[in-house]
Amino acid sequence: MESLTSHTDYGAVGLTEAQVNSDPMLEFATWLAAAEGAGLYEPNAMVVGTIDPDGRPSSRTVLLKGLDGSGFEFVTNYDSRKGRALRKNSGVTLLFPWYPMQRQVIVYGTAHATDAAVSDAYFARRPRPARIAALASEQSEPIASRELLEEQVRAVDRRYPDDAEIPRPTDWGGFRVIPHAIEFWQGRTSRLHDRLHFTALAGGGWKRERLQP
């Protein structure tokens, strides 16, 4: 396969210490806005890495749904594979792969379930078909066929007419990731990439250092 032997040399656009905000959360918001402005598909898509209860690593793509000055939020089924993993081991990584911009951000943090009110608000904002699907699907559990899954969806849809309120499943809700480190990566020519790594300090604020590529 050609992709295994080809070599793409990244651009000359660099990332210097003077270009980034001293607060990595503010810098992340700037990078996310730039990804949106560049028209990237699903700019809020991130690869969530967890450690399963049996100690094995696992990853999957999830959409970032909340961001403020102290953390990142996403939603899931708490009984899904990632939900079970985070209940056992709250350590988590979030990787934002903005390949067309030759950028990525990696967040290292701790995940905590959000309170019910936050989860209710996220669920209420979802389109009706997505709320129906959340009730119908036992995420990560085996099922015999696609047809059976679609029948489960139809059964829930019949249970809740168009004007009926659809309740949030008790096993569905948000996770909030509090970061303890964030790395900003900018691709450079000859694989001499720029990596600026922020580590949270115990007394508040962040330590910034450059990592070799």
Side-chain angles (χ1 to χ4, degrees):
M1 290 177 281
E2 183 180 352
S3 63
L4 302 181
T5 57
S6 63
H7 182 91
T8 301
D9 197 38
Y10 297 151
V13 176
L15 182 66
T16 68
E17 287 76 355
Q19 291 174 305
V20 300
N21 196 296
S22 59
D23 184 336
M25 296 301 294
L26 294 178
E27 185 65 21
F28 177 84
T30 298
W31 280 40
L32 178 58
E36 293 175 355
L40 268 60
Y41 180 73
E42 302 281 31
N44 60 325
M46 59 187 185
V47 179
V48 177
T50 59
I51 300 296
D52 288 348
D54 57 8
R56 296 177 180 176
S58 180
S59 61
R60 74 290 287 158
T61 300
V62 177
L63 296 180
L64 178 69
K65 286 299 183 180
L67 175 70
D68 61 23
S70 60
F72 306 78
E73 291 181 350
F74 65 93
V75 296
T76 188
N77 185 310
Y78 290 139
D79 289 330
S80 66
R81 184 173 182 176
K82 59 184 166 300
R84 294 193 301 268
L86 290 173
R87 290 203 305 270
K88 181 70 174 181
N89 184 341
S90 60
V92 63
T93 59
L94 313 175
L95 187 150
F96 295 84
W98 295 318
Y99 302 132
M101 301 179 70
Q102 299 161 359
R103 281 182 167 184
Q104 72 175 14
V105 177
I106 307 176
V107 177
Y108 304 85
T110 304
H112 308 274
T114 60
D115 61 38
V118 172
S119 295
D120 287 342
Y122 278 129
F123 192 74
R125 292 203 299 267
R126 291 167 70 88
R128 185 178 186 278
R131 282 178 282 157
I132 293 291
L135 279 168
S137 173
E138 297 181 40
Q139 193 174 98
S140 300
E141 293 301 314
I143 194 166
S145 67
R146 174 76 188 194
E147 290 72 22
L148 182 56
L149 175 62
E150 292 177 350
E151 176 52 40
Q152 291 178 182
V153 171
R154 287 191 291 270
V156 174
D157 190 44
R158 289 191 296 268
R159 196 186 314 158
Y160 298 99
D162 289 348
D163 58 347
E165 180 181 354
I166 302 172
R168 175 178 65 87
T170 56
D171 59 0
W172 187 99
F175 275 107
R176 181 173 179 79
V177 176
I178 306 300
H180 58 76
I182 303 177
E183 181 181 318
F184 296 87
W185 182 97
Q186 177 72 60
R188 296 292 300 273
T189 189
S190 300
R191 294 298 191 262
L192 292 176
H193 312 307
D194 286 321
R195 298 172 61 189
L196 296 184
H197 187 88
F198 289 78
T199 305
L201 300 175
W206 296 83
K207 173 186 176 182
R208 183 184 65 199
E209 55 190 348
R210 176 176 288 271
L211 302 182
Q212 297 181 60

